[in-house]
Amino acid sequence: MASVFPTKSNLMATQKSLELALLGYELMDRKKNILVREMMLLADDAKTVRDEINACYAEAYYYLRLANTTLGFCGSFSRTVPVDDTLYIDFKSVMGVEIPKISVDERPAVPYFGLTSTNEYLDKAYLCFNEAKMKSIHLAEIESGVYRLADAVKKTRKRANALNNIMIPRFRETVKFISEALDEKEREDFTRMKVIKARKEKE
């Protein structure tokens, strides 16, 4: 503040900076609230999907146990299922935060192994594992979004706090300093003018 010379132009510039800082803080605070709301919605979705995945796996392993009991070890049948490498990632923007959107080629959920050498338990196990896979892709999308939003909330809160706790008080203090210095200068000028006027009248 000592480096600021108390002039009207500096006062106007500092007042303008203060207005911009206040507006910036308001926008940052609004952005933070929107990001937090989006993050909480995704977090709720993640919990729901996680519970659904656990239920899918529980059912899948139940049927797999029955298939192993009735058919013997079923590991050889898994080799007939092709590897799915059709994941695609796109992004959508939420308040400037890039949130991933994961998609996969839709394939009919039909067993790839022969019908004569297996039974319905193995079919049901396959369908349950396939459903768990699809839900896991959705969960990965949600959790990645939550992580990115949480990181953005942290950065936005940090910037908002810097404005509110450092920059805005500093600008206000500078405005006060310049205003008081200018007021004091005005009073001195007024007093000086009165003295000069009084001397002239005496002369």
Side-chain angles (χ1 to χ4, degrees):
M1 190 173 65
S3 61
V4 178
F5 196 71
T7 63
K8 285 188 178 180
S9 60
N10 282 343
L11 177 61
M12 291 171 64
T14 307
Q15 286 172 333
K16 186 68 176 175
S17 297
L18 176 59
E19 287 174 12
L20 290 174
L22 288 168
L23 178 61
Y25 172 74
E26 184 183 342
L27 293 174
M28 287 284 181
D29 191 55
R30 196 179 303 167
K31 177 182 178 180
K32 180 195 70 178
N33 292 335
I34 292 171
L35 291 176
V36 168
R37 187 174 68 242
E38 288 290 327
M39 185 178 67
M40 296 308 294
L41 289 173
L42 283 180
D44 290 342
D45 288 347
K47 183 181 183 307
T48 302
V49 175
R50 204 175 289 115
D51 291 341
E52 290 172 357
I53 290 172
N54 289 336
C56 283
Y57 275 121
E59 191 176 3
Y61 280 113
Y62 169 74
Y63 285 119
L64 185 60
R65 279 195 301 273
L66 291 177
N68 282 330
T69 302
T70 55
L71 297 172
F73 183 64
C74 300
S76 59
F77 296 114
S78 65
R79 297 192 198 90
T80 63
V81 180
V83 174
D84 189 352
D85 57 357
T86 62
L87 285 178
Y88 307 101
I89 300 179
D90 200 1
F91 293 91
K92 70 171 185 177
S93 180
V94 177
M95 298 296 291
V97 182
E98 294 294 309
I99 305 298
K101 297 291 292 180
I102 304 175
S103 58
V104 63
D105 282 350
E106 291 291 337
R107 295 177 178 174
V110 292
Y112 288 90
F113 30 81
L115 298 176
T116 55
S117 56
T118 61
N119 57 26
E120 64 174 331
Y121 297 134
L122 187 59
D123 294 347
K124 287 181 178 178
Y126 167 77
L127 293 174
C128 289
F129 278 120
N130 188 69
E131 186 180 355
K133 178 192 76 173
M134 299 304 291
K135 289 184 181 297
S136 295
I137 292 170
H138 185 44
L139 180 63
E141 174 187 297
I142 293 171
E143 289 186 337
S144 178
V146 169
Y147 174 80
R148 286 170 179 250
L149 286 169
D151 187 54
V153 167
K154 182 180 177 182
K155 289 178 180 175
T156 304
R157 184 180 288 128
K158 188 176 180 181
R159 290 169 184 162
N161 287 341
L163 283 171
N164 192 44
N165 299 327
I166 299 172
M167 300 305 296
I168 290 173
R170 185 178 297 169
F171 286 137
R172 281 179 173 153
E173 192 177 345
T174 303
V175 167
K176 183 183 175 186
F177 165 74
I178 296 175
S179 297
E180 288 177 350
L182 290 176
D183 288 344
E184 181 64 28
K185 187 173 180 298
E186 246 181 63
R187 283 192 295 269
E188 288 176 359
D189 290 343
F190 180 72
T191 304
R192 192 178 301 110
M193 290 298 293
K194 282 183 71 175
V195 171
I196 292 171
K197 186 178 178 183
R199 283 181 182 173
K200 282 184 177 179
E201 286 176 354
K202 279 186 181 181
E203 292 173 357

